[in-house]
């Protein structure tokens, strides 16, 4: 496909026009912009945040995400900025192993890594021209017109675009145009996340998730000799009690878990602990509508139980860019992308939903049966399942 150049109207008109507009400058949006640029296609990325700050907590990227980044030629840069996870364990609350995965033994040996979300974000930003990344652009209306789409923003700016790529997250405005009856589902779980130093608390190469009647605790070593941790607890949606939960409340519930769970939570500053309820998007039947397309959480937000939310968004971006490269009619490119992605991402969303229910059991008898079942599963079954998830190929 011939190079598609970015162009702008006079600034005095307070308007821009672009061939490709990407709504959302998160992992999905930035990866998509990088993938398009690799194919000599420029885009504008419009993000609601006033500035990109190293917010959030940790993130893990499995082999499929790194394989996707390999197609963009930036996997080595990302790996250098991250911490490699050679082993991922599921434990009970006493620290006894339920299952264990050696990540290098899955598929072609591509590793899994973990890093701070802010670190990954900066690596991706460094691959783009910052003049093409706009901050403080929160979309408030999308209107189809004779030129494509007119997007108005809360800051008073307007952008017209021929093709709209929506990477605007689980609460996507664009999705209301593509799939107006989409439904967000509350998982039944509330989550707390934090990052603290790794003072020889954990081997740097082992991540774990511990299951108990109180809930789940994850410990993930990330870049900078730090630990990313998360706690998941069953709770009603929007619970005021959960919203007011403090570090001390978490320690009351989870301090009896095996070491170093209590220590890691205790040494995290209260102001650095992030809380949110966990929702996903009930699978929808379409990701594209003519010259508008959804990627990442905008199209298939998933619970974090399989660590595949960001990974699938990265796959989306690389595959969409390839479809765009292969088609002169963008509606055809977007439809092909939808056909290539919908079955796989729905499988991930549904499996992750089920895994959350399995991991959050509270009945001691059911917990015992679950742990026994997982311990007795042949290693080959788990390996085969992971190989399906960690596989990534471009057609």
């Amino acid at each position: 496909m011939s190079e598609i150049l970015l162009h702008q109207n006079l600034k005095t008109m307070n308007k821009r026009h672009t061939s490709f507009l990407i709504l959302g400058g998160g992992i999905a949006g930035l990866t998509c912009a990088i993938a398009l640029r690799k194919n000599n296609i420029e885009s504008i990325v419009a993000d609601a945040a006033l500035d990109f700050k190293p917010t959030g907590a940790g993130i893990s990227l499995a082999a499929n995400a790194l394989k996707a980044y390999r197609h963009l030629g930036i996997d080595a840069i990302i790996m250098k900025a991250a911490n490699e996870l050679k082993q991922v364990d599921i434990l009970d609350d006493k620290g006894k192993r339920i299952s264990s995965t050696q990540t290098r033994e899955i598929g072609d040996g591509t590793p899994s890594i973990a890093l701070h979300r802010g670190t990954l974000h900066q690596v991706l930003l460094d691959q783009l021209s910052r003049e093409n990344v706009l901050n403080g652009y929160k979309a408030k209306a999308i209107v189809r017109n004779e030129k494509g789409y007119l997007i108005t923003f809360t800051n008073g700016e307007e952008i017209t675009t021929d093709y709209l790529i929506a990477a605007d997250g689980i609460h996507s405005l664009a999705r209301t145009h593509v799939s107006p009856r989409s439904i967000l589902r509350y998982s039944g779980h509330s989550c707390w996340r934090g990052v603290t130093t790794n003072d020889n608390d954990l081997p740097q190469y082992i991540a774990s998730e511990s299951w108990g009647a109180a809930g789940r605790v994850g410990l993930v070593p990330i870049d900078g000799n730090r630990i990313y941790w998360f706690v998941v607890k069953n709770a009603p949606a929007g619970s005021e009690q959960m919203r007011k939960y403090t570090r001390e409340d978490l320690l009351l519930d989870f301090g009896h878990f095996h070491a170093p769970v209590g220590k890691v939570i205790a040494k995290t500053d209260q102001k650095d602990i992030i809380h949110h309820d966990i929702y996903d998007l009930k699978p929808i039947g379409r990701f594209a509508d003519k010259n508008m397309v959804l990627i990442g959480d905008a199209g298939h937000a998933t619970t974090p139980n399989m660590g595949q939310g960001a990974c699938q968004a990265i796959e989306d971006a690389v595959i969409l860019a390839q479809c765009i490269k292969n088609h002169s009619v963008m509606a055809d490119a977007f439809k092909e992308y939808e056909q290539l992605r919908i079955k796989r991402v729905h499988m991930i969303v549904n499996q992750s939903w089920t895994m959350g229910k399995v991991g959050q059991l509270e009945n001691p008898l059911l917990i015992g049966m679950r742990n026994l079942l997982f311990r007795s599963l042949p290693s080959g079954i788990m390996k085969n399942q992971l190989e399906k998830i960690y596989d990534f190929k471009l057609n």
Side-chain angles (χ1 to χ4, degrees), residues 47-62:
D47 191 76
L50 294 176
D51 193 13
F52 290 128
K53 298 178 181 178
T55 57
I59 186 171
S60 59
L61 298 181

Side-chain angles (χ1 to χ4, degrees), residues 130-234:
R130 285 306 303 267
E131 62 265 23
N132 290 359
V133 181
L134 306 178
N135 286 105
Y137 278 68
K138 182 178 181 180
K140 69 176 183 179
I142 299 171
V143 177
R144 194 193 308 272
N145 61 24
E146 67 280 1
K147 295 181 180 179
Y149 300 93
L150 170 67
I151 295 87
T152 57
F153 298 87
T154 56
N155 61 5
E157 298 284 336
E158 294 182 351
I159 298 178
T160 59
T161 184
D162 301 323
Y163 313 111
L164 180 61
I165 300 173
D168 51 341
I170 190 170
H171 300 291
S172 170
L173 174 63
R175 190 174 63 244
T176 63
H177 294 262
V178 176
S179 183
R181 296 183 181 180
S182 61
I183 298 171
L184 298 184
R185 302 186 297 187
Y186 178 55
S187 66
H189 314 142
S190 208
C191 180
W192 294 260
R193 297 176 294 154
V195 174
T196 189
T197 55
N198 188 1
D199 302 320
N200 297 315
D201 300 309
L202 289 174
Q204 197 69 8
Y205 61 91
I206 300 179
S208 66
E209 186 171 293
S210 302
W211 295 355
R216 288 176 289 161
V217 179
L219 300 175
V220 184
I222 62 173
D223 59 299
N225 198 38
R226 294 176 290 179
I227 297 173
Y228 158 54
W229 61 265
F230 59 86
V231 166
V232 184
K233 181 178 174 65
N234 293 342

Side-chain angles (χ1 to χ4, degrees), residues 340-351:
L340 290 172
R341 296 299 293 156
I342 200 162
K343 182 178 178 180
R344 176 167 168 81
V345 297
H346 284 179
M347 178 268 291
I348 296 290
V349 168
N350 291 330
Q351 285 191 9

